Amino acid sequence: MTTSPPRTTRRATPAKEARVPAARGRPRRQLDDSADRRDLILDAAESLFCVHGFHGVTVRQVATEAGVDPALLNYYFTSKRGLFDAVLLRRAEVVNTQRARSMDRYESSTAEMTVEGCLQAFFEPVLTLWESGGDGWRNYLRLIALVNSTPSWGGQAMTQYFDPVIHKLIGLLREVLPEAHAEDLFWCYHFVSGALSLSFADTGRIDNLSGGLCRSNDVAAVRKRLAYFLAAGTTQLCQRMAKTRD
Amino acid sequence: MTTSPPRTTRRATPAKEARVPAARGRPRRQLDDSADRRDLILDAAESLFCVHGFHGVTVRQVATEAGVDPALLNYYFTSKRGLFDAVLLRRAEVVNTQRARSMDRYESSTAEMTVEGCLQAFFEPVLTLWESGGDGWRNYLRLIALVNSTPSWGGQAMTQYFDPVIHKLIGLLREVLPEAHAEDLFWCYHFVSGALSLSFADTGRIDNLSGGLCRSNDVAAVRKRLAYFLAAGTTQLCQRMAKTRD
DNA sequence: TCAATTATTCAACGTTCGTAGAAATAAGTT
DNA sequence: AACTTATTTCTACGAACGTTGAATAATTGA
């Protein structure tokens, strides 16, 4: 208990980069797990980080939730931070290529684009994932919402994926609202982003506030209302600011 | 260093409630501090919690920032959680009575209320505090924004202060938009809250996104645009939903 | 079959965490 | 002055933290 068997001096395992499964020597399938342990860990981490944030979760909690040894997290992801980043990046490309495609499709198939149409093309793919992407996607979007409103987040890896589609949206809006000032379009996105984030955050706040009249995870209720609200806000902001000396 | 002087058995200090300064025996003023140590601690905690969240801050960091001994935090606030709650509650009543008064004033002084007027009466006091309330208020609003979008926050103590003014706002909007469904007004507030939160969160996100064109702490820029955006969104959402079978 | 590689477990390290008891200091009361 | 109470510091506990090295189990290529 107190005294321990003699330990030799520490020597690191040779490779210190995050472990990505190689083709050779990798077991194809676990005995009874349908998914890879690596993915199990990511799922567990996702479900915990999205509720409590990075600092509110311990690697031991993630390990327990995933049903694996804590050391395995470091084996695959090098560090707790590495795990967190891996969770963020896992679905980042998927969601954003879907959004990019959605906007491309809208742009090329529509003769007369509208503000509402652009915004819908921007967020409809995400709503769909939220609605029918399973718990994984729901947790992921919650996590993104949390990260999006956390100041201390210096996530440059994320902007790499998210910024292009945002600029694409702003580009579309610029065509529909040619008289709008550039900065006003950015401010519109700012407000859009805030409303979207809070919706995905799924805090249950509106449930309490409305005495059960509204449910914060009611995708169908959010869908139409978001479109109406954001489109009108964007249009009016830009039009009224365009008339202003400022 | 290794062996310590013999410690007697632990016995707790008699009082275990949070320490609130009494009238008797309390030193009136510290030697060189202009403010009470208790307030210094709250300020330090506020400035750290609003950036890193509850779990991202240690009591030792707060103590260092405040320039006091770590044990003093437990003396005044019993626990880390007690400190966090104290930070939240310190300014909660102030801001919300100001908002309540602002809406009362608007309601009683205006013959023909508007959606934009109601919303402005709701958030203008907060914008003013954000603009000219000093670092303390700016940090506090950041913290509220963070808490507002954190799912794991079971803050019933906060709702006690914040819910009444929200219901007051919804009551005003109901007068201006009598045809609106009740649930739509709650959804409007939901989106309003999201846009406001992200603005106060001051994440610097829009600064990067716009390449410096917008600054996320530019209160003047936010003020008008918020009013335009939210008023149009609210009006349109309610009007269009009112026409819908649903 | 056997050596090489990968995956997983085990036990523990060194550190930092929140918190507590006791002593010391300061202020107020009488 | 002495006494009482409030404030502050000192020291350190026990637990939990992220992480690691070495050992073991599983899988693969030859």
Side-chain angles (χ1 to χ4, degrees):
Chain A
M1 191 74 58
T2 46
T3 52
S4 50
R7 309 264 315 288
T8 63
T9 65
R10 291 289 179 83
R11 270 301 296 119
T13 43
K16 214 58 218 100
E17 311 84 47
R19 182 69 61 153
V20 34
R24 258 261 302 273
R26 180 177 180 221
R28 240 177 254 297
R29 187 64 46 191
Q30 290 318 115
L31 308 136
D32 53 353
D33 294 339
S34 64
D36 222 316
R37 305 279 260 238
R38 194 174 187 277
D39 289 323
L40 284 181
I41 294 170
L42 286 173
D43 290 340
E46 197 173 52
S47 74
L48 289 169
F49 281 139
C50 77
V51 178
H52 304 102
F54 177 76
H55 295 289
V57 176
T58 71
V59 301
R60 287 171 158 89
Q61 286 177 308
V62 176
T64 300
E65 174 85 8
V68 304
D69 191 273
L72 199 56
L73 314 206
N74 286 85
Y75 173 73
Y76 277 122
F77 306 104
T78 313
S79 68
K80 183 188 179 187
R81 181 54 183 247
L83 170 61
F84 188 77
D85 291 343
V87 169
L88 284 183
L89 291 181
R90 175 167 61 149
R91 307 184 196 264
E93 189 164 4
V94 176
V95 59
N96 283 309
T97 57
Q98 284 200 20
R99 300 217 280 193
R101 264 204 281 268
S102 170
M103 284 188 284
D104 283 341
R105 208 161 35 220
Y106 175 71
E107 187 180 16
S108 62
S109 72
T110 310
E112 193 90 10
M113 292 198 299
T114 64
V115 171
E116 194 173 320
C118 294
L119 286 169
Q120 256 172 335
F122 175 76
F123 66 67
E124 180 53 38
V126 192
L127 279 183
T128 302
L129 290 171
W130 194 35
E131 188 171 34
S132 50
D135 287 347
W137 274 104
R138 196 170 288 236
N139 290 338
Y140 181 72
L141 293 172
R142 255 169 104 155
L143 181 59
I144 294 299
L146 196 59
V147 165
N148 191 44
S149 55
T150 299
S152 61
W153 175 250
Q156 58 240 26
M158 287 298 284
T159 62
Q160 168 192 351
Y161 289 98
F162 282 83
D163 281 9
V165 293
I166 297 170
H167 280 115
K168 171 114 196 149
L169 168 66
I170 290 178
L172 291 189
L173 290 175
R174 204 190 306 274
E175 289 185 44
V176 183
L177 299 165
E179 77 282 7
H181 298 156
E183 69 259 39
D184 290 329
L185 292 174
F186 283 110
W187 282 115
C188 282
Y189 170 75
H190 189 65
F191 301 144
V192 167
S193 169
L196 276 173
S197 273
L198 192 59
S199 296
F200 296 138
D202 199 2
T203 62
R205 192 89 181 72
I206 195 179
D207 308 57
N208 295 333
L209 205 61
S210 68
L213 197 59
C214 307
R215 282 167 300 112
S216 58
N217 55 0
D218 182 346
V219 185
V222 168
R223 180 176 276 118
K224 266 193 306 187
R225 292 178 176 87
L226 255 186
Y228 294 166
F229 190 96
L230 299 181
T234 300
T235 306
Q236 279 287 313
L237 189 158
C238 290
Q239 285 184 357
R240 293 179 68 174
M241 289 304 296
K243 292 185 199 144
T244 308
R245 314 275 147 268
D246 169 31
Chain B
M1 193 69 62
T2 48
T3 54
S4 51
R7 307 267 313 291
T8 64
T9 66
R10 288 291 178 82
R11 270 300 296 116
T13 42
K16 215 57 220 98
E17 310 85 47
R19 183 68 62 154
V20 34
R24 260 261 301 277
R26 181 179 178 216
R28 243 178 253 299
R29 188 63 49 191
Q30 290 318 113
L31 307 136
D32 53 353
D33 295 340
S34 63
D36 221 317
R37 305 279 261 240
R38 194 174 188 278
D39 290 323
L40 285 181
I41 294 170
L42 286 173
D43 291 340
E46 196 173 52
S47 74
L48 289 169
F49 281 139
C50 77
V51 178
H52 304 101
F54 177 77
H55 295 289
V57 176
T58 71
V59 301
R60 286 171 158 89
Q61 286 176 309
V62 175
T64 300
E65 174 84 9
V68 305
D69 190 274
L72 199 56
L73 313 205
N74 286 83
Y75 173 73
Y76 276 120
F77 306 102
T78 312
S79 68
K80 182 188 179 187
R81 180 53 184 248
L83 169 61
F84 188 77
D85 290 343
V87 170
L88 284 184
L89 291 181
R90 176 166 61 150
R91 307 184 196 262
E93 190 166 3
V94 176
V95 59
N96 283 310
T97 57
Q98 283 199 21
R99 300 215 281 193
R101 265 206 279 270
S102 170
M103 285 188 283
D104 283 340
R105 208 163 33 221
Y106 175 71
E107 185 180 18
S108 62
S109 73
T110 311
E112 193 91 11
M113 293 198 299
T114 64
V115 171
E116 192 172 321
C118 295
L119 287 169
Q120 256 172 336
F122 175 77
F123 66 65
E124 180 53 39
V126 193
L127 278 183
T128 302
L129 289 171
W130 193 35
E131 187 171 36
S132 49
D135 287 347
W137 275 105
R138 197 169 287 237
N139 290 340
Y140 181 73
L141 293 173
R142 256 169 104 156
L143 180 59
I144 294 298
L146 196 59
V147 166
N148 190 46
S149 56
T150 301
S152 62
W153 174 247
Q156 60 239 28
M158 286 299 284
T159 61
Q160 169 192 350
Y161 289 98
F162 282 82
D163 280 9
V165 295
I166 297 169
H167 281 116
K168 171 114 195 147
L169 168 66
I170 290 179
L172 291 188
L173 290 175
R174 204 190 305 275
E175 288 187 44
V176 184
L177 300 165
E179 78 283 6
H181 298 158
E183 70 259 38
D184 290 329
L185 292 174
F186 284 109
W187 282 114
C188 282
Y189 170 75
H190 189 67
F191 301 145
V192 167
S193 169
L196 275 173
S197 273
L198 193 59
S199 297
F200 295 139
D202 199 3
T203 62
R205 193 89 181 71
I206 195 178
D207 307 58
N208 295 333
L209 205 59
S210 68
L213 198 58
C214 308
R215 282 166 301 113
S216 58
N217 56 359
D218 182 347
V219 184
V222 168
R223 180 176 275 119
K224 264 193 308 187
R225 291 178 176 86
L226 256 185
Y228 293 165
F229 190 96
L230 299 181
T234 300
T235 306
Q236 279 287 313
L237 188 160
C238 290
Q239 286 184 357
R240 294 178 67 174
M241 289 303 296
K243 291 184 199 147
T244 308
R245 315 277 143 267
D246 174 28

